[in-house]
Amino acid sequence: MTATFEKPDMSKLVEELRALKAKAYMGGGEERVQAQHAKGKLTARERLNLLFDEGTFNEVMTFATTKATEFGLDKSKVYGDGVVTGWGQVEGRTVFAFAQDFTSIGGTLGETHASKIAKVYELALKVGAPVVGINDSGGARIQEGAVALEGYGTVFKANVMASGVVPQITIMAGPAAGGAVYSPALTDFIIMIKGDAYYMFVTGPEITKVVLGEDVSFQDLGGAVIHATKSGVVHFIAENEQDSINITKRLLSYLPSNNMEEPPFMDTGDPADREMKDVESVVPTDTVKPFDMREVIYRTVDNGEFMEVQKHWAQNMVVGFGRVAGNVVGIVANNSAHLGAAIDIDASDKAARFIRFCDAFNIPLISLVDTPGYMPGTDQEYKGIIRHGAKMLYAFAEATVPKVTVVVRRSYGGAHIAMSIKSLGADLIYAWPSAEIAVTGPEGAVRILYRREIQNSKSPDDLIKERIAEYKKLFANPYWAAEKGLIDDVIEPKDTRKVIASALKMLKNKREFRYPKKHGNIPL
């Protein structure tokens, strides 16, 4: 007699499914969720609910678990393996995301955990959509040994393959140490939350003390403020978890979904031909007096809305996103309120990376120039200002997006070139009447040009003043450069926005040829 097996009805199967999903959705369980909340931190799913439009999140590999059997990992299944992955809509646009779950195996990364993140990247690259990673992890899963390290390699490779193809944004929503810090570093932007529960470093305080004898706290070694002001690793500081999501959404609003799309146009209601009222009063004609270039930027962009990137690091260089007549632009500007706007190592790195991101994602570049040159001194020379300064030259020269330069005040020496000029590939160069364009500043030039005359003079100070006045008369205006065809037009400051808007409209369909090559060799 043949035995028969009666399958359960669908209602029981659905009931079982719901129970299993409920277990998966609880991560490490109620106790660990409460511990997460006690630290002021949200769970992975709570964070994703804040990121995505309500009801749009679609999870992938929900029930995936570790393949490892060592150290008892085979005795209890942990659905999701410490990370929640999927896609949804962010303000109506498709975005992929992963959120590490600290309540589940400490959010540690193992083989399956890494494969889930890789799956998100695979799908994102296929459809051309941004990836947002929310990091909150105890690092490599020790129980999986070298397999966990291979997992990190899998994630790093995905980061690199996606670079320049789809935007990548990282939210640092917990700890990261050792290899865990390098996936965020390979993405385009890092948003880090302030607070004791959030830090990132390659080597922690304990090892730092043993090896170097330095006694340093977690925050002083790798907190958000340190990385935003000193290391330049972090692009945006978030006050709390909700703020980190708000910053992410605002950043995405300026970015195309992939490198084949144009940045999202937005009708801001700000007329393209609007005059920039009172802008002349912001910029002193006396080049010795500093001013904040942000005030010029606010008057240039639509409705004064400017999203500054790395605001607290290398403040002598200002970079960020805005719109002009509804079109997204990337702005690179000198800021004499810090270091007199001299370009140093950090400013070079900051600008070069931003320029290359904009070029990768079809965002036009606007340069606002007021710089006396590169920063002098043994400290800069010994640390490689030549190598670092060359990064800006490389970035602007390789960029094929529309490039418009406005010389507001000083533009001297190699820094003049680095801020994007015609021979480097700038499409249009404009200047205010206050512009000064020369190889070097007046006093330095006079002391070189008239060295013997000054040495032989009975009144060297008077001679120097006389020659400086002559030099300023020649170069302390934009007309000498304009006569040589180096400046396309000298404009009134109030017309800056109107001129930029018109230039961008004309350059909208710009195309440039580049010789076929595997890739260039930027002086890293």
Side-chain angles (χ1 to χ4, degrees):
M1 186 174 180
T2 305
T4 59
F5 175 73
E6 186 177 342
K7 291 185 177 180
D9 61 31
M10 184 60 73
S11 62
K12 288 185 178 180
L13 293 174
V14 170
E15 186 178 338
E16 181 185 14
L17 169 63
R18 289 174 178 172
L20 290 173
K21 281 199 170 182
K23 182 180 179 182
Y25 293 166
M26 279 305 296
E30 184 63 35
E31 187 177 333
R32 291 185 179 177
V33 169
Q34 288 179 2
Q36 181 85 339
H37 288 164
K39 296 176 185 176
K41 297 166 65 178
L42 299 176
T43 66
R45 293 179 188 280
E46 288 169 340
R47 290 163 175 160
L48 292 173
N49 286 338
L50 288 178
L51 174 65
F52 290 112
D53 300 346
E54 187 175 355
T56 66
F57 180 62
N58 300 270
E59 191 168 351
V60 296
M61 298 178 73
T62 308
F63 296 115
T65 61
T66 180
K67 300 174 184 177
T69 58
E70 292 82 2
F71 300 99
L73 288 177
D74 58 333
K75 298 296 190 295
S76 59
K77 288 185 177 180
V78 179
Y79 290 134
D81 205 48
V83 63
V84 182
T85 52
W87 82 92
Q89 303 291 307
V90 176
E91 297 182 346
R93 296 168 63 197
T94 298
V95 172
F96 287 81
F98 66 88
Q100 293 178 315
D101 184 359
F102 199 81
T103 74
S104 177
I105 331 176
T108 54
L109 185 141
E111 182 182 7
T112 299
H113 183 120
S115 69
K116 290 184 67 175
I117 295 173
K119 177 65 175 179
V120 161
Y121 269 92
E122 178 189 341
L123 291 170
L125 287 170
K126 283 180 178 178
V127 304
V131 178
V132 176
I134 305 178
N135 287 37
D136 186 7
S137 170
R141 190 172 300 157
I142 297 172
Q143 298 96 317
E144 294 196 25
V147 173
L149 301 181
E150 285 293 325
Y152 272 123
T154 298
V155 176
F156 299 164
K157 180 73 175 295
N159 293 139
V160 174
M161 293 300 99
S163 183
V165 182
V166 297
Q168 301 177 72
I169 300 172
T170 298
I171 298 175
M172 295 306 302
V181 303
Y182 285 111
S183 176
L186 289 168
T187 63
D188 298 309
F189 300 100
I190 298 176
I191 301 162
M192 191 168 185
I193 302 167
K194 290 168 66 174
D196 293 340
Y198 314 96
Y199 53 84
M200 61 188 301
F201 39 64
V202 174
T203 307
E206 297 89 350
I207 296 177
T208 300
K209 186 172 184 178
V210 171
V211 176
L212 298 176
E214 293 182 20
D215 198 352
V216 61
S217 70
F218 280 72
Q219 284 301 302
D220 287 341
L221 184 62
V225 174
I226 290 298
H227 282 310
T229 60
K230 293 187 179 297
S231 73
V233 168
V234 166
H235 299 82
F236 304 95
I237 296 179
E239 294 297 322
N240 50 50
E241 304 225 7
Q242 178 66 67
D243 190 35
S244 72
I245 297 296
N246 294 344
I247 293 170
T248 301
K249 290 182 177 182
R250 186 183 176 200
L251 182 55
L252 284 169
S253 74
Y254 287 104
L255 310 181
S257 291
N258 57 69
N259 63 344
M260 301 301 288
E261 289 186 3
E262 296 298 314
F265 174 84
M266 180 185 295
D267 185 355
T268 63
D270 195 347
D273 59 354
R274 170 178 57 81
E275 291 186 353
M276 293 165 53
K277 294 181 179 179
D278 304 323
V279 70
E280 296 94 336
S281 64
V282 172
V283 184
T285 53
D286 184 349
T287 56
V288 176
K289 294 181 178 179
F291 73 97
D292 193 335
M293 186 67 87
R294 295 183 185 92
E295 293 300 324
V296 177
I297 295 172
Y298 298 148
R299 288 165 170 79
T300 303
V301 297
D302 290 2
N303 303 316
E305 294 181 5
F306 176 60
M307 189 172 194
E308 189 169 351
V309 176
Q310 293 180 303
K311 180 178 182 178
H312 305 288
W313 181 64
Q315 294 184 62
N316 45 328
M317 185 72 71
V318 176
V319 301
F321 301 106
R323 282 185 168 84
V324 174
N327 297 293
V328 177
V329 296
I331 295 176
V332 180
N334 309 115
N335 187 14
S336 62
H338 295 271
L339 300 180
I343 300 176
D344 63 355
I345 287 170
D346 288 345
S348 299
D349 287 357
K350 176 179 177 177
R353 193 168 190 273
F354 181 77
I355 293 162
R356 300 191 87 210
F357 175 84
C358 289
D359 185 49
F361 290 102
N362 311 312
I363 299 172
L365 287 159
I366 309 299
S367 298
L368 299 177
V369 186
D370 174 37
T371 178
Y374 281 106
M375 179 68 73
T378 55
D379 179 67
Q380 290 288 302
E381 294 294 348
Y382 294 170
K383 291 179 179 177
I385 184 63
I386 295 173
R387 172 168 47 87
H388 290 274
K391 294 176 187 179
M392 280 188 69
L393 301 171
Y394 191 105
F396 267 127
E398 75 168 347
T400 60
V401 293
K403 292 174 285 188
V404 179
T405 299
V406 180
V407 182
V408 172
R409 205 168 59 165
R410 302 160 300 168
S411 192
Y412 294 154
H416 166 70
I417 306 170
M419 289 301 294
S420 185
I421 63 173
K422 282 192 173 184
S423 57
L424 207 65
D427 297 297
L428 290 164
I429 312 283
Y430 297 100
W432 286 13
S434 52
E436 300 178 8
I437 303 169
V439 173
T440 187
E443 185 170 351
V446 165
R447 290 185 180 277
I448 293 170
L449 292 171
Y450 302 101
R451 182 174 58 228
R452 289 185 180 178
E453 190 176 345
I454 292 169
Q455 289 173 347
N456 297 329
S457 173
K458 295 179 180 179
S459 303
D461 290 342
D462 291 339
L463 180 62
I464 289 171
K465 289 179 181 178
E466 181 182 337
R467 293 293 184 250
I468 285 176
E470 292 173 357
Y471 187 89
K472 282 185 173 181
K473 187 176 181 181
L474 181 62
F475 290 119
N477 63 73
Y479 302 110
W480 188 91
E483 289 172 5
K484 301 295 185 288
L486 307 177
I487 300 294
D488 289 297
D489 200 4
V490 181
I491 62 173
E492 293 186 40
K494 67 180 180 60
D495 293 331
T496 303
R497 170 183 164 82
K498 178 170 63 176
V499 167
I500 290 174
S502 180
L504 292 177
K505 185 177 181 181
M506 179 274 290
L507 291 165
K508 187 171 181 62
N509 295 320
K510 174 190 173 184
R511 295 290 182 270
E512 276 194 14
F513 170 79
R514 288 290 184 269
Y515 291 104
K517 55 184 174 182
K518 189 171 183 180
H519 58 73
N521 188 21
I522 187 171
L524 297 173

